[in-house]
């Protein structure tokens, strides 16, 4: 076993790897960017080395600096986590050339799976079923259109170098083919520098089921499947293991195919073989096809750990340090059922836009495994994946595990950023999901129902008002006393209420919907004569009430109120964190309402920012190439002289 390793990553995965290292007595070296100086992973490590700027290209993608840090600290091996350099074969070669161990597969194995077309051809030769389609070298539009015709519509065009759902187009009929091809090719060229595509049969009502494999370079075993069908825009939201409705026959067919795939490339370490499954007629052993292989540890690996009892990072370290496979296939078994939910700082109703913010309050319940890279007080910065935490639960049956997931999410307390928490809770209560009827279209189909916010609970709002008035903590400020003003109006963004102190510990809060009597008695809150178990938390952004329902009241921002005028905003701000792609105007230029001022790239899409009124550009406050936060001022207009 190694004495010391370097973890070339950040966030929850860096922390998760360090936890296993601690247990095995392996010392850890963290690396960090300027934006992450105070990050949790830096504090957890035994040593830490700064890499440079916040942009990944200046820090976490600098293979040379990472290798130097490993040499300088005496680390013997590098764990890449996921993302960043984890699937970069040139980095693997550089690590090995420096006399260090890369904790993962060989550069050759990564290359073999790097391009989807070559990987599909390789898998076909190894006897692994692949999605029917065309993955040849002839990229002429005529040939591709002819192949689409032969495959039969609907078809999916995919960038061979693709990842993260980019460069992918669903085509329903031949009239749409050429246009879709052109846009897929240009997106692929832009994102991956490689315009080549493949065409495959679009599986209707598809399920995403993947198999965890583990190899030692000669042999491989599988650790069963995960179902990752709950996706939005091809990104996983809730994952589970085992897959609902899986039969023993199909499980062994998929497991054997995945092991064949891994052994065909002499795979070493943890990997995932992703299959697309036809979910329209139940799970059948002839209804699954290879999609791609991810040659790294996957975000959702903890659900596999929960049902098998295996620590996959421990296995990675043992095999990378020269041991052979830690278990035989027949020794690996499934116990119970597990779910993972990905908690993100994101605005779900606005289309899953990533968000930033300082986590004014963060608390997780007992009874769930929490993987996180942040603590209360930390910032979710615009530079990286806005994940806050993964919430993982395990139970004896699927139904029990799903109820514990719901309970764990309901008891998760986050304030200071918008999150997808309500959406995750709504998913755990979705009837079809509860019955195990999952497919990759579920979220998009039922999005409206999943977003329907229940009307805010008046009792919780009344407690929030007590918090905004600063009377919520009897120990710190005496709570509700007659020393307070007896009657006042409390306002927050989107509402206001009248607060009247009735006596010590007693107040009346009158909302638009009516009055509520609030009392602090016997060490707890009572609303309208009934005990109301709730925690009122005050933070920079306002007040949050965590109880039967979660409620946030956002303080009014005095500057914002003063800044808005009837004729439209003078200041154009970034509506979300992102990369400023272009600025179309210069100072002194006249613009009309509706003119494009700038283009912001966020969530893999480009958004045009337009003038909200006529005016003259007074100041341009950001430049193309800048990574900006939500609310960052970009362009200021002034009235035409
Ligand atoms: P897959 O490649 O099948 O999507 P994962 O879900 O493990 O597998 O994620 C792949 C990569 O995409 C990871 O490196 C992760 O950092 C990144 N990723 C996943 N979800 C998001 C997200 N919501 N926003 C940004 N990056 C993400
Ligand atoms: P990426 O590299 O972007 O992860 P994948 O090939 O893994 O690309 O596909 C991403 C997602 O797209 C899958 O999880 C699935 O939801 C959907 N998908 C991929 N191939 C097909 C197909 N042939 N039919 C239907 N859906 C598909
Ligand atoms: Mg994929």
């Amino acid at each position: 076993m190694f004495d010391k390793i370097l973890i070339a990553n950040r966030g929850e995965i860096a922390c998760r790897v360090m936890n296993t290292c601690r247990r095995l007595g392996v010392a850890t070296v963290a690396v960090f960017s300027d934006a992450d100086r105070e990050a949790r992973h830096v504090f957890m490590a035994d040593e830490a080395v700064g890499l440079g700027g916040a942009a990944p290209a200046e820090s976490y993608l600098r293979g040379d600096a990472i290798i130097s840090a490993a040499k300088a600290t005496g680390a013997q091996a590098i764990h890449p986590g996921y993302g960043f350099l984890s699937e970069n074969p040139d980095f693997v070669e550089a690590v090995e050339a420096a006399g260090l161990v890369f904790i993962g597969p060989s550069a050759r194995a990564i290359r073999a799976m790097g391009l989807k077309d070559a990987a599909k051809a390789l898998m076909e030769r190894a006897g692994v079923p692949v999605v029917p389609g065309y993955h040849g070298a002839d990229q002429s539009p005529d040939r591709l259109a002819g192949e689409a015709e032969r495959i039969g519509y609907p078809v999916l065009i995919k960038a061979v170098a693709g990842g993260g759902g980019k460069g992918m187009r669903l085509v329903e009929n031949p009239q749409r083919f050429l246009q879709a091809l052109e846009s897929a090719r240009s997106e692929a060229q832009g994102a991956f520098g490689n315009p080549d595509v493949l065409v495959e049969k679009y599986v209707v009502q598809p399920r995403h089921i993947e198999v965890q494999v583990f190899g030692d370079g000669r042999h491989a075993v599988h650790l069963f499947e995960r179902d990752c069908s709950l996706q939005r825009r091809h990104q996983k939201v809730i994952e589970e293991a085992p897959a609902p409705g899986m039969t023993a026959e199909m499980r062994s067919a998929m497991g054997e195919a995945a092991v064949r795939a891994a052994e065909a490339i002499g795979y070493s370490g943890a990997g995932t073989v992703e299959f697309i499954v036809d979910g329209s007629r139940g799970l059948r052993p002839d209804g699954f096809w290879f999609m791609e292989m991810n040659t790294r540890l996957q975000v959702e690996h903890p659900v596999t750990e929960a049902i098998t009892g295996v620590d996959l990072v421990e296995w990675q370290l043992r095999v990378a340090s020269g041991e052979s496979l830690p278990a035989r296939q027949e020794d690996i078994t499934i116990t119970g059922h597990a779910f993972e939910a990905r908690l993100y700082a994101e605005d779900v109703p606005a289309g899953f836009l990533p968000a930033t913010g300082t986590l004014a309050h963060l608390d997780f319940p007992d009874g769930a495994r929490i993987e996180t890279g942040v603590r209360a007080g930390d910032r979710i910065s615009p530079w990286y994946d806005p994940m806050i935490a993964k919430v993982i639960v395990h139970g004896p049956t699927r139904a029990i595990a799903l109820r514990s997931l719901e309970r764990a999410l309901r008891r998760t307390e986050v304030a200071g950023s918008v999150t997808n928490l309500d959406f995750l809770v709504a998913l755990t209560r979705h009837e079809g999901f509860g019955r195990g009827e999952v497919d990759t279209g579920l979220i998009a189909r039922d999005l409206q129902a999943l977003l329907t916010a229940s009307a805010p609970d008046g009792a919780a709002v009344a407690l929030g008002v007590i918090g905004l008035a600063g009377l919520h903590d009897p120990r710190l400020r005496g709570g509700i006393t007659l020393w307070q003003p007896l009657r006042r109006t409390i306002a927050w963004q989107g509402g206001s209420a009248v607060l009247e102190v009735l006596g010590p510990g007693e107040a009346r809060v009158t909302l638009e919907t009516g009055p509520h009597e609030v009392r602090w008695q016997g060490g707890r809150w009572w609303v309208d004569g009934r005990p109301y178990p709730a925690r009122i938390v005050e933070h920079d952004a306002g007040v949050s009430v965590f109880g039967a329902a979660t409620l946030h009241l956002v303080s009014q921002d005095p500057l914002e109120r003063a800044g808005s005028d009837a004729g439209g905003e003078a200041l154009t701000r970034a509506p979300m964190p992102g990369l400023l792609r272009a600025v179309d105007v210069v100072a002194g230029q006249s613009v009309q309402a509706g003119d494009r001022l700038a283009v912001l790239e966020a969530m893999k899409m480009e958004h045009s920012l337009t003038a909200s009124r006529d005016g003259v550009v007074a100041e341009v406050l950001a430049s193309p190439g800048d990574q900006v936060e939500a609310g960052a001022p970009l362009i200021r207009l002034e009235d035409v002289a």
Side-chain angles (χ1 to χ4, degrees):
M1 183 49 68
F2 307 111
D3 301 312
K4 189 193 270 191
I5 71 165
L6 180 144
I7 295 121
N9 215 299
R10 64 178 303 283
E12 68 88 15
I13 192 61
C15 297
R16 187 259 167 274
V17 172
M18 287 182 214
N19 274 327
T20 292
C21 289
R22 278 186 181 174
R23 193 169 58 72
L24 301 179
V26 176
T28 54
V29 181
V31 291
F32 61 91
S33 73
D34 290 346
D36 277 341
R37 284 180 185 286
E38 315 259 297
R40 182 167 184 260
H41 76 278
V42 175
F43 279 79
M44 274 186 73
D46 297 306
E47 290 169 74
V49 179
L51 294 174
E58 292 170 21
S59 46
Y60 299 109
L61 289 175
R62 285 186 56 202
D64 54 343
I66 290 169
I67 291 168
S68 307
K71 298 291 267 186
T73 54
Q76 296 145 323
I78 297 183
H79 193 299
Y82 54 70
F84 297 124
L85 293 167
S86 62
E87 295 181 275
N88 183 325
D90 298 336
F91 178 65
V92 177
E93 280 167 354
V95 169
E96 287 167 356
L100 301 166
V101 176
F102 178 78
I103 302 174
S106 65
R108 198 180 59 84
I110 295 176
R111 281 203 183 94
M113 290 295 178
L115 293 178
K116 290 184 202 286
D117 55 346
K120 280 182 80 172
L122 181 75
M123 289 300 101
E124 235 170 3
R125 288 197 297 278
V128 176
V130 303
V131 187
Y134 172 75
H135 44 262
D138 184 350
Q139 291 284 313
S140 68
D142 281 353
R143 175 69 190 269
L144 293 169
E147 292 290 343
E149 203 69 48
R150 183 184 58 80
I151 296 162
Y153 285 88
V155 298
L156 199 60
I157 301 175
K158 276 188 195 178
V160 300
K166 255 189 173 177
M168 213 153 74
R169 294 289 182 281
L170 168 62
V171 196
E172 310 269 5
N173 59 55
Q175 292 78 43
R176 296 271 171 90
F177 187 83
L178 290 177
Q179 200 194 337
L181 176 64
E182 202 181 319
S183 81
R185 287 178 66 91
S186 75
E187 191 171 299
Q189 175 66 42
F192 313 111
N194 177 350
D196 288 357
V197 297
L198 56 83
V199 183
E200 62 186 33
K201 179 80 192 154
Y202 182 73
V203 178
V204 185
Q205 213 181 311
R207 284 175 64 172
H208 174 121
I209 301 182
E210 57 186 35
V211 177
Q212 175 71 53
V213 292
F214 206 98
D216 64 6
R218 288 173 304 280
H219 303 290
V221 290
H222 70 84
L223 293 94
F224 313 107
E225 77 282 356
R226 293 183 287 258
D227 193 309
C228 310
S229 300
L230 283 199
Q231 303 182 348
R232 43 94 175 156
R233 298 180 175 184
H234 307 299
Q235 300 253 15
K236 300 160 185 169
V237 179
I238 293 183
E239 302 99 340
E240 61 180 302
M246 181 56 80
T247 62
E249 192 188 12
M250 178 148 178
R251 174 172 293 134
S252 63
M254 291 186 80
E256 281 162 25
V259 167
R260 272 203 300 285
E263 289 185 346
I265 55 171
Y267 197 78
S268 176
T272 296
V273 184
E274 296 190 335
F275 295 100
I276 189 93
V277 173
D278 176 0
S280 62
R281 287 173 295 150
L283 299 181
R284 286 164 296 111
D286 62 348
F288 71 92
W289 302 278
F290 172 85
M291 227 170 9
E292 65 168 345
M293 179 165 182
N294 293 324
T295 50
R296 55 173 163 83
L297 195 66
Q298 201 100 336
V299 176
E300 58 275 19
H301 75 276
V303 292
T304 298
E305 297 185 324
I307 61 161
T308 58
V310 169
D311 178 335
L312 286 167
V313 173
E314 176 190 323
W315 279 26
Q316 286 187 304
L317 295 177
R318 287 170 60 184
V319 166
S321 66
E323 282 185 40
S324 54
L325 277 175
R328 290 171 307 174
Q329 189 65 59
E330 55 272 28
D331 298 333
I332 308 169
T333 55
I334 299 181
T335 305
H337 202 99
F339 286 95
E340 172 186 279
R342 300 188 187 195
L343 176 61
Y344 281 106
E346 68 182 8
D347 190 341
V348 178
F352 300 98
L353 288 181
T356 54
T358 297
L359 298 170
H361 176 82
L362 182 65
D363 203 10
F364 296 102
D366 294 336
R369 171 175 168 188
I370 304 297
E371 293 296 343
T372 182
V374 290
R375 302 148 299 191
D378 284 353
R379 271 188 65 67
I380 300 292
S381 84
W383 292 102
Y384 314 108
D385 184 338
M387 187 191 278
I388 298 171
K390 306 188 301 201
V391 177
I392 303 120
V393 297
H394 181 237
T397 66
R398 185 174 189 271
I400 294 172
L402 188 54
R403 289 288 67 81
S404 356
L405 181 64
E406 180 190 352
R407 200 174 325 111
L409 291 169
R410 280 175 166 285
R411 294 189 186 163
T412 294
E413 302 180 352
V414 201
S417 171
V418 289
T419 73
N420 63 344
L421 193 53
D422 292 343
F423 173 70
L424 293 174
V425 171
L427 270 174
T428 64
R429 304 170 65 92
H430 184 280
E431 281 184 21
F433 180 42
R435 288 193 297 266
E437 294 162 10
V438 291
D439 70 88
T440 61
L442 182 145
I443 288 180
R445 264 196 317 275
D446 293 343
L447 192 59
Q448 278 322 311
L450 291 166
L451 289 183
T452 309
S454 44
D457 173 6
V461 179
L463 289 173
V465 170
I466 299 288
L468 284 175
L471 308 183
H472 60 293
D473 195 333
R475 286 158 307 162
L476 294 179
R477 292 185 210 156
I480 305 168
T481 66
L482 291 168
W483 298 106
Q484 310 287 341
L486 294 185
R487 183 191 164 91
R488 54 184 149 156
T489 300
I490 303 287
W492 61 94
Q493 281 185 27
S496 72
V498 174
L499 168 65
E500 294 163 273
V501 174
L502 304 177
E506 262 183 273
R508 180 186 300 127
V509 177
T510 306
L511 308 174
E512 273 174 17
T513 47
H516 295 278
E517 308 286 332
V518 178
R519 217 157 15 106
W520 172 262
Q521 194 187 350
R524 57 161 123 175
W525 292 104
W526 299 68
V527 182
D528 300 328
R530 276 195 296 273
Y532 193 99
R535 221 137 82 83
I536 305 176
V537 179
E538 192 185 7
H539 47 75
D540 289 349
V543 162
S544 302
V545 180
F546 300 106
T550 295
L551 172 93
H552 305 286
L553 296 184
V554 181
S555 314
Q556 273 190 332
D557 178 348
L559 289 177
E560 245 169 53
R561 265 181 297 163
S564 65
D565 58 356
E569 292 290 332
L571 202 55
T572 299
R573 294 173 183 273
M576 66 202 88
L579 176 72
L580 198 61
R581 274 268 167 234
V583 175
D584 301 310
V585 293
V586 292
Q589 187 176 336
S590 316
V591 297
Q592 292 186 325
D595 285 356
R596 197 175 85 174
L597 303 177
V599 178
L600 185 71
E601 187 190 279
M603 272 312 276
K604 303 162 186 164
M605 289 187 308
E606 295 197 337
H607 304 266
S608 296
L609 306 180
T610 54
S612 60
R613 60 166 198 180
D614 297 354
V616 172
V617 176
E619 265 183 300
V620 175
L621 300 156
S623 321
D626 287 356
Q627 185 77 30
V628 296
E629 303 206 19
L634 303 179
I635 286 155
R636 195 166 62 79
L637 296 181
E638 57 190 10
D639 293 332
V640 185

